[in-house]
Amino acid sequence: MAIDRLLKDEATEEKGERARMCSFVGAMAVADLVKTTLGPKGMDKILQSSGRGRSVTVTNDGATILKSLHIDNPAAKVLVDISKVQDDEVGDGTTSVVVLAGELLREAEKLVAAKIHPMTIISGYRMAAECALNALLKKVMDNKEDAEKFKSDLMKIAMTTLSSKILSQDKEHFAQLAVDAVMRLKGSTNLESIQIIKKPGGSLKDSFLDEGFILDKKIGIGQPKRIENAKILVANTAMDTDKVKIYGARVRVDSMSRVAQIEGAEKEKMKEKVEKIIGHGINCFINRQLIYNFPEELFADAGILAIEHADFDGTERLALVTGGEIASTFDNPESVKLGHCKLIEEIMIGEDKLIHFSGVEMGQACTIVLRGASFHVLDEAERSLHDALCVLSQTVVDSRVLLGGGWPEMVMSKEVDELARKTPGKRSHAIEAFSRALQAIPTTIADNAGLDSAELISQLRAEHHREESKAGIDVISGAVGDMEKLGISEAFKVKQAVLLSATEAAEMILRVDEIITCAPRKREDRM
């Protein structure tokens, strides 16, 4: 028998050139897809889901776009992954990372066609990436010592991050919100304690930052509307057992009075539970589940504010912010950790009533209330704000700052070019290619703004050959501008992550020389 069948029926394999072509094409297609969203003049995409309800998302956040795509090409999946990691790690630069990786592969494809071995390209890319990173390290600014300067750095970074998003019209307003919120964190990168509530209505300008915590619930009827020095018990327990509900079982009784007895017993049980809860010495009880009328009455009589059905995120976050823990049994009050806050009151936002907790244990907690024309606008605003908050919180930890607007890429590209001239052998081609790929980011920024990118990039290159140049692309005036005067800055951490992730992803895709696709599973006929 012949040994020509190594793989199972219908499994396919592609070798060498074909496999490489397949992975290059897939990766570049993904890069081209998000390319148009890069920069202050980037466009948005509408994503329509194929599920029920056909939900629509309007976004220009690279990670969101890629996350929503169903991709079959393995190389394209690698790019989707790096954008996701970039989003989790530093929160911004998701588009840049994909565009850079795509360009590195585009350059690599030409080199492979010129019979340069992938391993040679990879080692060249590695040298180039290291050189580029060192070039950036030489140019970083760090104003951690000077609080005023540092704050203005943060404002600039926030405005730069927001300028490529939907919030660009009111970027000063939102940059201020984001900086205030992050400054409250006092150096922790845990964004849990910044809560974002979206309420349609009003315009984006009406968004505001409120200290403390806002819970998206109404206060029940007959409950106190305002409590000072609140002691809060956050619970997750069933409070609806005062009705006879016996599923799937039959209860036979010989008279109506027996039913009343059973109901009475249930009520007693409920009453005991409520008394235990009141015994904790609290004046606010928040439950994840329903609270029925009877226990609610009991709470109201005891002057306790009872809130039911708080959404889960809300409950978890509330417990975190007030310094309490979520309880589900109430037998030993001493082991339950209660939450505290100075004041609970009802506030109105737009049409809705919400409950506001101020003076909470965790002083850094705050709530950003977003207003906007529609849910799509709000969702996109939340994504943009989230990016800004992530970048700022990372910058507070690692306070190194770079100028933006394609300036870092030009700095890196210049250094990498010089390295290529010094390097003998075939690797120098790969290093040169790396430098060209870096220029793709300013090129794309210019293209998206409808400017003549070739002209601008050559001007930029000339500018950067002067010492200490601060030139970048000013998309508003459509010319080369001074990034320092324009106040366009970026966090070093974002740029570093973009550079390293893109290089590694490109490297990984370059190493591929064979793609093996499994045979689909057969459906058995179950008859």
Side-chain angles (χ1 to χ4, degrees):
M1 73 172 247
I3 319 185
D4 54 351
R5 298 294 312 159
L6 175 64
L7 301 169
K8 210 170 141 191
D9 286 347
E10 289 189 43
T12 53
E13 62 177 326
E14 296 178 1
K15 281 200 166 69
E17 284 305 298
R18 286 213 33 206
R20 202 163 282 129
M21 269 314 299
C22 180
S23 51
F24 283 155
V25 169
M28 288 189 292
V30 167
D32 286 343
L33 177 78
V34 292
K35 209 176 185 173
T36 51
T37 67
L38 189 70
K41 295 268 168 136
M43 293 300 174
D44 289 10
K45 309 265 180 219
I46 289 187
L47 308 169
Q48 193 172 13
S49 80
S50 53
R52 284 214 313 266
R54 299 236 161 214
S55 60
V56 173
T57 315
V58 183
T59 179
N60 76 356
D61 177 42
T64 310
I65 295 171
L66 293 176
K67 220 169 24 204
S68 319
L69 297 179
H70 292 288
I71 292 180
D72 223 8
N73 183 302
K77 282 207 171 105
V78 173
L79 290 194
V80 174
D81 275 353
I82 56 168
S83 85
K84 209 155 142 195
V85 169
Q86 179 81 10
D87 196 36
D88 296 342
E89 199 54 33
V90 282
D92 196 19
T94 45
T95 312
S96 316
V97 95
V98 179
V99 172
L100 185 54
E103 286 303 322
L104 286 171
L105 289 170
R106 188 163 307 199
E107 294 293 340
E109 185 185 25
K110 294 176 198 158
L111 297 175
V112 172
K115 296 281 177 280
I116 295 178
H117 191 273
M119 278 310 169
T120 315
I121 303 177
I122 285 176
S123 81
Y125 274 6
R126 285 221 161 142
M127 287 169 66
E130 198 171 311
C131 165
L133 192 58
N134 291 334
L136 280 190
L137 283 168
K138 276 188 254 165
K139 301 268 188 178
V140 289
M141 298 169 288
D142 193 341
N143 292 330
K144 192 153 208 170
E145 309 311 312
D146 182 350
E148 277 304 300
K149 261 193 181 153
F150 185 50
K151 197 154 184 197
S152 85
D153 273 353
L154 286 181
M155 275 299 287
K156 283 179 192 163
I157 289 178
M159 273 157 61
T160 307
T161 302
L162 292 174
S163 63
S164 64
K165 311 265 193 278
I166 190 172
L167 302 176
S168 57
Q169 304 311 314
D170 314 315
K171 63 184 175 192
E172 287 182 16
H173 181 67
F174 283 99
Q176 193 62 57
L177 284 186
V179 172
D180 287 348
V182 171
M183 287 308 245
R184 295 180 71 106
L185 290 180
K186 304 193 181 56
S188 86
T189 50
N190 178 13
L191 296 176
E192 281 284 290
S193 53
I194 298 178
Q195 185 201 17
I196 298 182
I197 284 188
K198 299 176 289 199
K199 285 281 167 211
S203 71
L204 281 169
K205 267 214 172 55
D206 301 335
S207 309
F208 60 91
L209 178 102
D210 207 331
E211 72 97 27
F213 183 90
I214 296 179
L215 189 66
D216 198 348
K217 293 300 298 175
K218 291 187 178 63
I219 290 184
I221 297 168
Q223 311 264 355
K225 293 279 185 224
R226 173 190 170 97
I227 292 182
E228 291 179 18
N229 293 334
K231 296 189 191 59
I232 307 164
L233 177 62
V234 186
N236 185 3
T237 180
M239 299 291 282
D240 50 1
T241 44
D242 59 324
K243 292 273 185 289
V244 178
K245 287 191 306 209
I246 304 178
Y247 298 113
R250 291 166 84 181
V251 183
R252 286 226 173 114
V253 286
D254 40 21
S255 70
M256 272 315 286
S257 58
R258 283 296 167 87
V259 180
Q261 267 178 344
I262 295 176
E263 283 195 340
E266 294 266 323
K267 254 187 164 160
E268 272 308 302
K269 232 172 105 187
M270 193 69 236
K271 198 166 173 189
E272 269 174 41
K273 186 171 186 177
V274 172
E275 274 162 6
K276 274 183 194 162
I277 291 174
I278 295 173
H280 286 61
I282 55 169
N283 50 13
C284 172
F285 174 70
I286 294 173
N287 194 11
R288 167 80 191 78
Q289 300 177 27
L290 272 173
I291 300 179
Y292 242 65
N293 335 20
F294 178 58
E296 186 154 34
E297 260 173 56
L298 296 176
F299 281 129
D301 289 344
I304 292 178
L305 167 61
I307 301 166
E308 60 174 11
H309 247 208
D311 58 2
F312 198 64
D313 277 352
T315 342
E316 290 238 320
R317 207 174 253 159
L318 184 67
L320 173 91
V321 168
T322 54
E325 279 169 7
I326 298 183
S328 51
T329 54
F330 311 104
D331 286 333
N332 33 2
E334 56 285 344
S335 65
V336 175
K337 215 170 143 204
L338 296 180
H340 294 280
C341 79
K342 291 209 179 73
L343 176 68
I344 301 181
E345 57 185 344
E346 196 172 53
I347 55 170
M348 291 282 291
I349 297 179
E351 302 287 284
D352 297 337
K353 290 182 176 168
L354 304 153
I355 305 172
H356 182 225
F357 297 79
S358 50
V360 289
E361 288 273 308
M362 205 165 150
Q364 62 241 62
C366 57
T367 301
I368 295 177
V369 179
L370 290 179
R371 310 297 312 275
S374 73
F375 277 115
H376 295 151
V377 176
L378 285 174
D379 288 344
E380 179 61 359
E382 181 182 25
R383 278 190 288 273
S384 318
L385 200 59
H386 177 259
D387 277 9
L389 290 172
C390 286
V391 177
L392 289 175
S393 70
Q394 295 287 350
T395 314
V396 172
V397 177
D398 177 349
S399 57
R400 290 173 291 181
V401 180
L402 294 161
L403 298 172
W407 175 86
E409 283 79 15
M410 295 312 285
V411 170
M412 293 191 275
S413 147
K414 177 184 162 196
E415 290 281 323
V416 174
D417 254 345
E418 280 167 21
L419 173 71
R421 291 203 196 98
K422 294 177 206 152
T423 312
K426 283 185 177 173
R427 275 188 307 190
S428 64
H429 293 300
I431 298 175
E432 230 169 82
F434 194 93
S435 150
R436 280 199 299 276
L438 281 169
Q439 290 175 20
I441 288 192
T443 309
T444 309
I445 293 178
D447 280 341
N448 288 346
L451 307 170
D452 180 353
S453 58
E455 169 73 15
L456 274 174
I457 299 302
S458 47
Q459 280 179 13
L460 261 186
R461 278 227 298 281
E463 284 287 325
H464 274 271
H465 272 285
R466 294 216 294 276
E467 278 307 299
E468 295 304 307
S469 163
K470 300 210 163 46
I473 294 178
D474 175 8
V475 279
I476 309 302
S477 68
V480 171
D482 181 338
M483 293 292 117
E484 195 171 34
K485 285 200 186 97
L486 291 167
I488 297 176
S489 337
E490 296 188 56
F492 166 72
K493 197 148 181 196
V494 175
K495 277 287 168 240
Q496 179 188 0
V498 166
L499 183 67
L500 299 179
S501 311
T503 316
E504 281 175 15
E507 206 175 286
M508 190 168 146
I509 295 171
L510 264 176
R511 284 171 186 269
V512 174
D513 74 332
E514 185 163 2
I515 295 175
I516 300 176
T517 317
C518 282
R521 259 210 340 250
K522 292 273 189 298
R523 282 217 177 123
E524 294 117 15
D525 288 334
R526 292 209 179 88
M527 286 306 284

